Amino acid sequence: MPDSDRKIIKYEFLQQQVKLALKAREDNDWAKKVPMDLFMNYVLPYASLDEPREDWRSLFYDKFSPLVKGTDSLLEAAREINYRIWDLDGWNITFKAEQTPEIMSPSQVLSHGYASCTGLSIFNVNALRAVGIPARVAGTPEWVGSGGNHDWVEVWADGVWSFFDAIRQPFNQTWFFPDPVRWQVSGSFKHAVYAASFKPTPKGIIFPLAWRDDYESVVPGYDVTKYYVKAAQDIQQQQAQEAAEVAVGGSEGQASSQSRRRQLIGGGERTAVGDVGAAAAENPGADVAPGGVAHHV
């Protein structure tokens, strides 16, 4: 727990977090299988970055646990959460740029009906954690070349982390992948890609907060740049090979490249609930990281 939280967090608040997190863990078989170290660092925590501290878990458990009841896998449950929470009960939560740090906590997002990438990512991470899914905020303080920061969500499943962008985006496919994320620089304070952690990380790395002066932060983090850069390079090589095959082989080359893409990004379809299942069927790669985006840190 951050030192600043020790001054304001009450014992009763922590009791409620533990009670509901353990309850969510028992609700579904896939939640029970989450390793305890991941549960402790990416399900149980009540905060992601420096957002206002509040009990979002009580509301989110009641609202979102029915959405994942009966799901067969953690990824299916995560997909349900990402697609269905934004307009639940008439919320109609949308993206609006440049709202950080004024709108970051779930109650702030709900009261305004919008947030920028950071507030939406925190909201999504908390929704996932509320039903027992390990999740964390990832992002970069500044894009190489174009400037500007961005935050998104990572979800752990089947031993690896995959990413998605709020709102209602498929796994491992979004506007910044493969470009501009492939130009980010591992080890660079401003230009690396980070994943937030609640507990201190082995190398003492922090997650820079772009809305603070000089990116000031005490939030622990991992430098995960190399996974994104390698995956971006892989997918671009794959796309170039597909284009060459289509140019040479016509329709047969196109069919061959599509078959290879399905193998690389996940192959067979996975079923989901309702409209989400249809969306996944149209996008065979929605569950699995193309070119190895998913990573282990």
Side-chain angles (χ1 to χ4, degrees), residues 176-196:
F176 61 79
F177 179 83
D179 278 320
V181 77
R182 74 186 181 103
W183 301 110
Q184 298 308 103
V185 181
S186 181
S188 167
F189 184 65
K190 292 197 301 183
H191 295 138
V193 177
Y194 298 89

Side-chain angles (χ1 to χ4, degrees), residues 111-158:
S111 65
H112 288 81
Y114 56 78
S116 51
C117 61
T118 303
L120 294 180
S121 295
I122 291 170
F123 192 95
N124 211 330
V125 164
N126 290 346
L128 293 162
R129 289 178 176 180
V131 299
I133 298 173
R136 63 190 183 185
V137 175
T140 185
E142 186 176 313
W143 294 114
V144 171
S146 61
N149 73 299
H150 188 54
D151 290 321
W152 58 90
V153 178
E154 287 194 341
V155 171
W156 181 94
D158 300 329

